[in-house]
Amino acid sequence: SRFETCWPALMKDSHGVIIIFNPELPSHLKEIEMWYSCFVQQQPLLDGQCLLVAHHKPGSAGDTENLSLAYPLNKIKLIHSNLEDDPEDVRMEFMKYFKSIIAFINESREREEMSIIS
């Protein structure tokens, strides 16, 4: 919360939010609700402009792959990353996410241009 004064500058004109957290820390599971509220809902951004990344530390215990998040976080795309595994899946998911953000930006720009013309 030391950096809360910087948040408006970080959020200004942002088109997407990626929230990375450690699914084994109960405190992180509470915190991502706060990040979602501040950076997505209050912007407001669409849920499709947000990506959740559950990052698993090497040798981490517990079955957190079947992580079930409560509403409204359960509406957001969730991917699992693990440096021990093949990172190709994560790379593909990031590419999909970035492509969707670019498409969203282009659509918004076209809508703006059309509204100016009409």
Side-chain angles (χ1 to χ4, degrees):
S1 60
R2 275 191 315 223
F3 302 111
E4 278 183 42
T5 50
C6 306
W7 289 1
L10 285 172
M11 291 189 266
K12 184 173 163 29
D13 299 331
S14 64
H15 294 290
V17 174
I18 298 174
I19 300 173
I20 302 172
F21 65 99
N22 181 344
E24 285 158 55
L25 293 181
S27 62
H28 272 206
L29 297 176
K30 287 303 308 163
E31 281 174 32
I32 57 176
E33 290 177 18
M34 183 265 300
W35 290 112
Y36 173 77
S37 171
C38 292
F39 281 83
V40 182
Q41 287 179 312
Q42 289 174 33
Q43 286 253 59
L45 294 179
L46 300 172
D47 289 332
Q49 291 169 270
C50 183
L51 179 66
L52 293 176
V53 181
H55 184 67
H56 302 266
K57 288 186 166 173
S60 60
D63 178 27
T64 47
E65 286 284 327
N66 296 321
L67 188 64
S68 59
L69 297 171
Y71 180 87
L73 296 170
N74 59 5
K75 301 183 298 172
I76 299 167
K77 174 82 177 162
L78 169 69
I79 65 171
H80 293 269
S81 71
N82 184 333
L83 298 176
E84 291 175 316
D85 293 345
D86 178 17
E88 194 54 39
D89 284 350
V90 175
R91 191 177 295 120
M92 291 295 290
E93 290 293 349
F94 267 102
M95 290 308 294
K96 267 196 275 187
Y97 171 70
F98 287 126
K99 282 179 181 166
S100 73
I101 294 295
I102 290 165
F104 177 81
I105 293 168
N106 289 338
E107 281 169 25
S108 300
R109 194 168 289 148
E110 280 171 23
R111 270 200 305 274
E112 261 173 50
E113 287 168 1
M114 290 308 289
S115 68
I116 291 166
I117 293 166
S118 56

